[in-house]
Amino acid sequence: DLSLMGNAKSAVIEHHHITNGKAILLDFSITKNVFSLLLSAIILLLVFTSVASNYKKGNQIPSGIASFVEPLIIFVRDEIVKPNIDSKKSDRFMPYLLTIFFFVWVNNLLGLVPFFPGGANLTGNIAFTMTLAVFTMLMTNLNGSKDYWGHILWMPGVPTPLKPILAVIELVGVLTKPFALMVRLFANISAGHIIILSLFSLIFVFKDAAWAGLSGPLALFMNVLELLVAFLQAYVFTMLSALFIGQAVETHDHH
């Protein structure tokens, strides 16, 4: 008994040392969001590896999963990228924008699956949307043309005393654009999940199973609507990213 008490005392002391910073315990366990992130990356790798191999074989007519993915790629190219980015530079940003579109869309869909391996709602996590927004901000500003930075830091045609004030305002705008991207995706995806959860919560709030007759159909309708929202939010995020990049790489003719 004394030996057990001694071991317990030493364990308490060791725990005390850990909590006081003498030893740091890091938790690297995989959460649902991390698992969903890895799963979506694996899904996209498998899908696009299969699509790429289909064309490497010399098949001009897509078959299998390529017949489903190709129209989406063409849609992103013709309806999102080319209208917003100069045609001479659009191909340069296609890989990034395609990755953003499919990555957001797949994770939106996984968040709607209420059982394994879905249900993580990764795009409803503001840390995830912030990371994507930061990537778009870096892609935009690192590729910004001389004209782009000139109009931000020293606007032509503006009285000199006003230029420093407007430069500060424009620099704030550089940060508000990715902030809007981050909040828009996070808020729209989270709102749908909150509504569905609220509908099911009515059963427990009123403590009456009869409410399931109303909550169930409404929640099902919201789930179907969320399928549209999943695609729409991927489209909006990609379109705004393409718009910001297009504004940054555009060159102007000065007369």
Side-chain angles (χ1 to χ4, degrees):
D1 292 341
L2 292 175
S3 61
L4 289 175
M5 290 176 63
N7 292 335
K9 183 178 180 181
S10 62
V12 170
I13 293 172
E14 289 176 4
H15 178 72
H16 178 73
H17 288 328
I18 290 172
T19 55
N20 278 280
K22 293 185 178 179
I24 300 174
L25 184 62
L26 299 177
D27 185 5
F28 287 101
S29 58
I30 295 178
T31 63
K32 285 201 303 181
N33 280 337
V34 173
F35 176 79
S36 182
L37 178 69
L38 296 174
L39 178 64
S40 61
I42 292 171
I43 290 173
L44 290 177
L45 283 172
L46 292 176
V47 168
F48 284 99
T49 301
S50 175
V51 172
S53 64
N54 180 74
Y55 289 103
K56 284 181 179 179
K57 293 176 182 177
N59 298 331
Q60 297 299 320
I61 301 176
S63 60
I65 196 168
S67 60
F68 172 76
V69 174
E70 183 178 326
L72 292 172
I73 295 175
I74 294 173
F75 170 79
V76 173
R77 183 193 67 186
D78 295 344
E79 302 298 330
I80 298 178
V81 179
K82 286 190 174 181
N84 292 295
I85 303 177
D86 190 328
S87 58
K88 296 179 181 178
K89 302 175 182 178
S90 59
D91 289 345
R92 178 180 170 189
F93 300 101
M94 273 291 292
Y96 172 71
L97 294 171
L98 281 172
T99 302
I100 285 289
F101 176 80
F102 283 101
F103 196 53
V104 172
W105 186 37
V106 168
N107 279 293
N108 285 347
L109 293 177
L110 284 176
L112 296 175
V113 179
F115 50 83
F116 183 84
N121 191 24
L122 179 62
T123 45
N125 186 318
I126 199 166
F128 175 78
T129 60
M130 180 187 68
T131 303
L132 294 183
V134 168
F135 284 153
T136 294
M137 182 183 70
L138 292 175
M139 188 68 68
T140 300
N141 294 296
L142 292 178
N143 290 283
S145 65
K146 183 179 178 181
D147 287 337
Y148 170 75
W149 286 110
H151 280 76
I152 289 177
L153 300 176
W154 206 251
M155 289 68 67
V158 176
T160 302
L162 293 177
K163 287 184 177 181
I165 300 173
L166 293 177
V168 173
I169 296 173
E170 289 292 335
L171 287 173
V172 172
V174 170
L175 299 176
T176 56
K177 287 178 181 178
F179 180 80
L181 275 180
M182 172 186 73
V183 174
R184 179 181 284 106
L185 180 58
F186 162 73
N188 281 284
I189 298 301
S190 295
H193 287 262
I194 291 171
I195 291 172
I196 293 172
L197 181 61
S198 300
L199 290 171
F200 282 119
S201 297
L202 290 175
I203 303 170
F204 303 96
V205 169
F206 293 102
K207 299 179 181 180
D208 189 351
W211 278 92
L214 176 64
S215 298
L218 287 177
L220 179 61
F221 171 76
M222 281 301 303
N223 256 309
V224 174
L225 187 62
E226 283 292 297
L227 291 174
L228 174 62
V229 172
F231 179 85
L232 184 62
Q233 290 306 315
Y235 166 79
V236 170
F237 195 98
T238 309
M239 187 270 292
L240 289 176
S241 296
L243 179 63
F244 297 154
I245 293 172
Q247 291 174 342
V249 302
E250 184 181 4
T251 54
H252 304 274
D253 295 325
H254 300 288
H255 302 283

